[in-house]
Amino acid sequence: MSAPVLVINSGSSSLKYRVVDAERAEALAVGLIERVGDPKGGRLTHTVDGERHARDVAVPDHAAAMEAMTDAFAAYGPDLSTLDLVAVGHRVVQGGARFGRSVAIDDEVVATIEELADLAPLHNPANAAGIRVAREQLPDLPHVAVFDTAFHLSMPAAAHTYAIDRDVARKHRIRRYGFHGTSHAYISREAARLLGQEPEATNVIVLHLGNGASACAVRGGESVETSMGLTPLEGLVMGTRSGDIDPAVVLHLERTAGMDVADVDDLLNKRSGVLGLSGHQDMRDLVAAAEAGDADAELALEVYCHRLRLYLGGYTAVLGRVDAVVFTAGVGENSPQVRERALADLEVLGIELDQQANEERSSAARDIATPGSPVRVLVVPTDEELEIARQAIAVVGG
Ligand code: ADP
């Protein structure tokens, strides 16, 4: 049986789309429209049957981008009208405390997503704009919202509460929400499958290490702790984001360095992380520079891996029993150097990496722990679009 879903990720300046056959776990078409809103025009790429089509497109807004997408399907296929799409799944960044699961979209859901914009000013308005246009252009299909935060709504209060004045926190909805939930949900389930266990009986620590990076402690299929917080800035060291710092650094910069809110926002989100430390944002470049003897790159790599180890220790304490540590996303799936440094000498936590298995290149889900390691170490490729498609089907199907 085939069950194609159109998955849409509408960002502030881009529209990513994909037709995913959730039953067969394969992509039938993949597209990207860049520079949405740029008066100089944008660029569309659409890949189908291994062939990549590219063209310049005028995309002043999300409505135009969605039209460019429909045109691309008409020109290059597959034909959307004969595909028997089951649903349209929309990625939404911030679901607040309201959405603990994926939901069928109606006017009220769209309004709530817009209303949560103060928590995700860059993302939610763009997500909502994409949803509005898609519902207009594809009115006969059910639309489903899949939230980056939803998986983490199961975190206990002790984990999601910041120790600040409770009235201020309540008034401004300040708490830890966590992100990458679609990936953490998918990976923790796939990890259980690889271990031959039921998700409900499996405890894992997922390390989603892409450009953005987050850790998640999953107990019995539920997120009980994650490293991102109110925003994706908290937690691990990332490509350009600082992750955890003393919040007083912000005050210090504003008081003594003459920086305003926008300057600090830019510094911590775009000019920090391994980029800020070394000049290299891409992990491949960073590792190569460190191996060539660049001291800044070496320190950046050490800071990055030291933070990972802190979280591994903390999350082991949170979970009590850990069945596996799971690496995923660009860095996690592809960097043996990061995996090795992050897990070196962690026998005390029951983690023993098999050096040879770690070095082997593969795109398959795999176990890279020594045969005797009490905690397994897994590498599992993430597939957020497939997870969105599956969730959309689950919602539509009942
Ligand atoms: P995003 O968060 O943008 O979705 P990805 O999960 O695609 O990110 O990860 C992107 C990052 O993965 C790149 O910045 C790069 O550092 C890293 N990466 C990709 N391929 C490799 C590789 N072969 N070795 C090490 N790092 C890699």
Side-chain angles (χ1 to χ4, degrees):
M1 217 190 84
S2 98
V5 174
L6 174 60
V7 175
I8 291 180
N9 182 352
S10 170
S12 53
S13 67
S14 72
L15 174 76
K16 293 184 194 146
Y17 59 89
R18 186 177 286 231
V19 177
V20 179
D21 187 327
E23 288 295 324
R24 299 199 183 106
E26 65 184 19
L28 306 180
V30 181
L32 167 67
I33 301 168
E34 293 168 287
R35 302 201 303 273
V36 175
D38 187 333
K40 294 201 290 286
R43 180 103 183 138
L44 173 145
T45 51
H46 183 101
T47 305
V48 59
D49 292 334
E51 205 175 327
R52 187 167 172 274
H53 307 271
R55 67 184 189 202
D56 293 329
V57 281
V59 279
D61 54 25
H62 287 91
M66 210 68 74
E67 253 165 52
M69 175 191 80
T70 334
D71 289 350
F73 278 111
Y76 310 122
D79 183 349
L80 284 186
S81 61
T82 57
L83 256 188
D84 283 335
L85 286 172
V86 181
V88 184
H90 294 268
R91 177 192 179 219
V92 180
V93 167
Q94 178 56 271
R98 167 71 202 284
F99 298 109
R101 50 186 302 171
S102 304
V103 293
I105 295 174
D106 57 19
D107 292 344
E108 197 237 315
V109 168
V110 183
T112 308
I113 292 168
E114 282 172 338
E115 204 239 319
L116 290 164
D118 57 336
L119 294 173
L122 290 180
H123 296 104
N124 269 43
N127 299 155
I131 290 172
R132 279 188 188 283
V133 179
R135 288 177 79 209
E136 275 163 29
Q137 296 194 2
L138 301 164
D140 299 329
L141 288 169
H143 292 250
V144 175
V146 180
F147 301 90
D148 273 13
T149 50
F151 183 59
H152 303 299
L153 217 56
S154 52
M155 279 195 287
H160 73 64
T161 306
Y162 288 117
I164 61 170
D165 181 288
R166 60 194 165 181
D167 296 329
V168 173
R170 231 174 264 142
K171 180 162 179 225
H172 298 285
R173 297 189 277 202
I174 296 173
R175 51 164 280 175
R176 308 186 61 249
Y177 294 101
F179 298 87
H180 288 146
T182 313
S183 179
H184 289 301
Y186 174 81
I187 293 297
S188 54
R189 231 183 313 104
E190 290 297 305
R193 206 154 64 103
L194 202 60
L195 295 169
Q197 298 177 192
E198 291 302 319
E200 295 73 24
T202 304
N203 291 358
V204 293
I205 300 172
V206 181
L207 300 175
H208 177 112
L209 311 179
N211 220 341
S214 69
C216 184
V218 183
R219 177 186 290 133
E222 291 194 339
S223 169
V224 292
E225 179 57 275
T226 194
S227 59
M228 286 176 167
L230 175 76
T231 76
L233 186 55
E234 189 178 346
L236 302 178
V237 177
M238 314 185 203
T240 65
R241 294 191 198 119
S242 62
D244 297 332
I245 55 164
D246 180 345
V249 169
V250 175
L251 312 179
H252 183 73
L253 287 170
E254 293 190 4
R255 284 197 194 111
T256 65
M259 292 178 127
D260 63 15
V261 172
D263 295 331
V264 180
D265 188 342
D266 185 68
L267 174 78
L268 297 180
N269 277 297
K270 302 208 176 116
R271 294 191 285 127
S272 296
V274 292
L275 174 72
L277 289 171
S278 72
H280 301 288
Q281 176 180 341
D282 192 294
M283 189 53 74
R284 284 161 288 204
D285 301 336
L286 184 70
V287 168
E291 287 177 351
D294 179 330
D296 289 343
E298 177 63 29
L299 177 62
L301 204 49
E302 283 298 295
V303 174
Y304 185 96
C305 294
H306 176 74
R307 187 79 50 88
L308 285 173
R309 295 160 67 81
L310 284 177
Y311 274 87
L312 280 172
Y315 285 13
T316 300
V318 166
L319 288 174
R321 190 200 83 230
V322 180
D323 296 313
V325 172
V326 196
F327 286 88
T328 192
V331 176
E333 291 166 31
N334 297 300
S335 180
Q337 295 90 346
V338 166
R339 295 191 299 251
E340 185 181 340
R341 285 182 189 233
L343 302 185
D345 303 321
L346 285 190
E347 288 79 8
V348 65
L349 299 183
I351 300 170
E352 293 167 23
L353 184 67
D354 182 319
Q355 299 299 341
Q356 201 183 334
N358 182 43
E359 295 289 334
E360 274 164 26
R361 301 203 63 83
S362 164
S363 56
R366 58 202 188 274
D367 187 332
I368 57 169
T370 61
S373 178
V375 174
R376 308 313 302 165
V377 180
L378 309 179
V379 179
V380 179
T382 196
D383 194 337
E384 289 169 90
E385 286 82 8
L386 175 58
E387 179 65 17
I388 291 173
R390 284 180 178 166
Q391 300 238 355
I393 287 177
V395 168
V396 171

